[in-house]
């Protein structure tokens, strides 16, 4: 087999170009939205995720910064994500094959998600999701407690699906954490004798977001 021989200078030049292209892959990405703008309107531009109260930086094997009022320190490889969000631990298992599976805890929230390129389904915290890829995001429904929402629409551009599994799992989970639940009017408790009504403190809708 005929082989192409490169001079040391040429090889180093090409290696340098390849490294620059790799390190600049995020930098060349245009600004895109992540999640639900009615929550924290997050945008990704290059390695940075920003919002009115958030500032995060994505590295090759982790994410650091602040999401709302919580400090974020995450580290991942192709099998696991560990770290913390605020004072609560993150420990997610990652598996990639015909689909991508993410399960464990993220900032204290129980997570169990599966994404296969068309559907994203599973749970984050108290909310169960069934979302289908449509354009630059996912649309579908979720149930939080006993409240069903049929018009969930979150941004997750297709380009993000090509990122490494650890980074993709972090962005996918953050997207759902950043999807605000609709407020639900509290149910009224049984009025005690005397006619004074009390609100049932357990009737408010629970949020998957922080």
């Amino acid at each position: 087999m005929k082989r192409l021989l490169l001079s040391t200078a040429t090889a180093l030049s090409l290696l340098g170009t390849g490294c620059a292209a790799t390190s600049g892959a995020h930098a060349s990405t245009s600004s895109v939205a992540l999640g639900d703008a009615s929550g924290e309107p997050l945008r990704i531009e290059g390695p940075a995720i920003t919002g009115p109260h958030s500032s995060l930086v994505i590295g090759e094997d982790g994410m650091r910064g602040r999401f709302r009022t919580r400090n974020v320190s995450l580290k991942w490889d192709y099998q696991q994500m560990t770290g913390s969000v605020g004072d609560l631990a993150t420990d997610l298992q990652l598996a990639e094959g015909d689909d991508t599976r993410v399960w464990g805890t993220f900032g204290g929230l129980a997570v169990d998600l599966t994404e296969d390129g068309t559907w994203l389904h599973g749970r984050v915290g108290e909310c169960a999701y069934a979302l289908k890829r449509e354009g630059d995001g996912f649309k579908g429904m979720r149930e939080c407690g006993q409240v069903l929402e049929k018009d969930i629409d979150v941004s997750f551009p297709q380009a993000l699906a090509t990122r490494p599994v650890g980074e993709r799992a972090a962005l996918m989970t953050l997207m759902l954490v950043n999807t605000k639940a609709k407020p639900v009017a509290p149910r009224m408790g049984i009025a005690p004798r005397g006619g004074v009504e009390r609100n049932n403190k357990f009737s408010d809708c629970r949020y998957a977001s922080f």
Side-chain angles (χ1 to χ4, degrees):
M1 179 183 294
K2 184 177 181 180
R3 297 184 178 181
L4 178 64
L5 300 178
L6 299 176
S7 68
T8 300
T10 303
L12 290 175
S13 175
L14 290 175
L15 180 60
T17 301
C19 291
T22 300
S23 62
H26 287 169
S28 64
T29 303
S30 59
S31 176
V32 296
L34 178 69
D36 177 10
S38 66
E40 173 87 349
L42 297 177
R43 297 199 69 84
I44 303 178
E45 185 169 6
I49 303 176
T50 58
H53 307 99
S54 302
S55 179
L56 298 158
V57 176
I58 305 168
E60 288 186 5
D61 62 353
M63 178 188 296
R64 289 183 176 272
R66 186 185 74 257
F67 175 60
R68 297 182 182 174
T69 61
R70 302 193 180 195
N71 291 325
V72 175
S73 179
L74 301 174
K75 188 176 182 64
W76 57 66
D77 54 27
Y78 287 95
Q79 294 181 314
Q80 187 176 25
M81 181 191 306
T82 58
S84 61
V85 179
D87 296 328
L88 300 175
T90 291
D91 188 353
L92 291 175
Q93 302 301 310
L94 315 175
E96 188 174 33
D98 294 334
D99 54 25
T100 299
R101 176 94 187 278
V102 180
W103 71 98
T105 58
F106 182 90
L109 295 176
V111 173
D112 191 346
L113 297 171
T114 301
E115 192 273 330
D116 64 6
T118 301
W119 288 94
L120 169 60
H121 58 87
R123 301 190 68 89
V124 176
E126 295 293 330
C127 297
Y129 291 84
L131 306 174
K132 186 177 182 180
R133 164 67 68 181
E134 289 193 18
D136 279 340
F138 290 95
K139 295 182 179 180
M141 65 180 67
R142 74 172 170 189
E143 183 178 10
C144 296
Q146 297 181 354
V147 179
L148 181 64
E149 299 175 60
K150 297 183 179 180
D151 54 354
I152 299 299
D153 187 352
V154 292
S155 176
F156 196 83
Q158 187 67 51
L160 299 181
T162 64
R163 297 192 177 186
V165 62
E167 180 178 344
R168 193 164 72 250
L171 293 176
M172 188 166 61
T173 307
L174 189 63
M175 169 190 72
L176 296 181
V177 166
N178 191 47
T179 302
K180 189 175 181 180
K182 292 182 178 180
V184 177
R187 298 191 302 270
M188 304 304 290
I190 299 174
R193 292 181 181 179
V196 179
E197 293 182 327
R198 296 177 298 175
N199 287 341
N200 184 343
K201 67 179 180 179
F202 299 108
S203 63
D204 295 331
C205 181
R206 297 177 181 177
Y207 290 78
S209 58
F210 294 147

